[in-house]
């Protein structure tokens, strides 16, 4: 993501030994991280209701101008939040699929992740980002790309299964079907805590795996 600060020269002369540039850069990165953290706090607490760069700057304790030094506009900051939460929901899934072992081991790691309770803050963040995406094309495109990456992990899981079996079937519809079920189950679970997510997902995974093993037209 491009920001106003990207590629900008530091606004101070290098200190002794040429370390001034590094110090300024580190301070700038810390400020940027604090602004993203403040944006996350606002979005998780009030959704999109009070989300402005001015409110984010105030919560962070920096000037409004400093916020716009790091982020060109409100959308840039929202997109940064989308990218910031990636290690909390996409990266672990990618690592579970890419880790050692065959399909059985990988699917168990994936199920363990999917049935782990999502933090309330992350759940509220996702809800706020989805709402913002309805009214901002750049946010929608950014969130769409993240979900495509998330779904591709499930495709990779079924590709592992088909490779083990020497099957030339297409893993994409299998992975996409499972991803859709996971997403739908999360929505149901947010309203009805009695749903046994592990049982549902394991049953579906076993069913899709069995379907993949059947000869075409069987």
């Amino acid at each position: 993501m491009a920001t106003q600060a990207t590629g900008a020269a530091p606004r101070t002369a290098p200190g002794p030994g040429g370390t001034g540039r590094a110090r300024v850069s580190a301070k700038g990165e810390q400020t940027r991280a604090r602004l993203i953290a403040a944006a996350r706090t606002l979005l998780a607490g009030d959704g999109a209701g009070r989300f402005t760069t001015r409110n984010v700057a105030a919560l962070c304790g920096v000037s409004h101008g400093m916020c716009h030094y790091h982020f060109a506009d409100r959308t840039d900051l929202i997109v940064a939040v989308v990218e910031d939460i990636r290690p909390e929901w996409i990266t672990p899934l990618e690592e579970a699929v890419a880790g050692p072992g065959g399909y059985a081991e990988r699917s168990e790691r994936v199920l363990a992740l999917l049935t782990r309770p999502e933090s309330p803050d992350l759940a509220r963040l996702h809800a706020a980002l989805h709402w913002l995406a309805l009214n901002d094309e750049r946010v929608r495109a950014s969130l769409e790309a993240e979900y495509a990456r998330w779904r591709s992990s499930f495709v990779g899981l079924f590709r592992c299964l088909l490779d083990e079996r020497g099957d030339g079937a297409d893993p994409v519809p299998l992975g996409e079907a499972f991803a859709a079920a996971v997403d739908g189950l999360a929505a149901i679970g947010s309203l009805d805590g009695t749903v046994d997510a592990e049982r549902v997902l394991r049953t579906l995974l076993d069913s899709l795996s069995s379907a993949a093993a059947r000869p075409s037209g069987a």
Side-chain angles (χ1 to χ4, degrees):
M1 176 194 67
T3 70
Q4 277 190 333
T6 301
R11 300 184 179 185
T12 187
T19 59
R21 181 180 295 268
R23 284 200 299 270
V24 172
S25 177
K27 184 177 180 180
E29 286 301 311
Q30 289 171 2
T31 300
R32 186 178 188 278
R34 286 170 52 209
L35 285 163
I36 293 173
R40 289 185 56 156
T41 298
L42 271 182
L43 287 171
D46 297 308
R50 293 178 55 245
F51 190 81
T52 64
T53 53
R54 192 174 298 278
N55 285 340
V56 169
L59 182 60
C60 186
V62 301
S63 70
H64 189 212
M66 179 59 70
C67 183
H68 280 284
Y69 174 83
H70 289 281
F71 301 99
D73 54 26
R74 176 175 180 263
T75 298
D76 268 355
L77 184 50
I78 296 168
V79 170
V81 170
V82 172
E83 295 172 352
D84 190 64
I85 65 175
R86 184 184 300 151
E88 296 167 49
W89 68 296
I90 295 178
T91 305
L93 183 60
E94 291 176 331
E95 292 173 345
V97 173
Y103 170 78
E105 292 83 1
R106 298 180 197 207
S107 61
E108 286 300 321
R109 289 196 296 266
V110 167
L111 285 172
L113 279 175
L114 296 178
T115 55
R116 187 174 65 189
E118 184 178 42
S119 74
D121 280 353
L122 187 58
R124 286 193 290 267
L125 263 175
H126 273 124
L129 291 170
H130 276 274
W131 189 90
L132 288 163
L134 294 176
N135 302 286
D136 190 313
E137 178 60 26
R138 286 166 57 202
V139 175
R140 188 201 64 77
S142 176
L143 200 57
E144 181 181 28
E146 293 298 292
Y147 270 94
R149 182 168 173 170
W150 178 75
R151 294 195 307 272
S152 70
S153 293
F154 299 115
V155 174
L157 179 64
F158 282 100
R159 181 173 290 113
C160 175
L161 171 67
L162 296 172
D163 286 347
E164 282 185 2
R165 294 175 175 171
D167 193 325
D170 186 357
V172 174
L174 296 169
E176 293 281 1
F178 190 67
V182 171
D183 204 29
L185 188 61
I188 294 171
S190 68
L191 300 173
D192 183 359
T194 65
V195 176
D196 188 339
E198 181 175 2
R199 182 179 180 184
V200 171
L201 291 178
R202 188 177 294 278
T203 299
L204 178 59
L205 195 61
D206 289 346
S207 297
L208 289 171
S209 301
S210 298
R214 289 197 294 268
S216 177

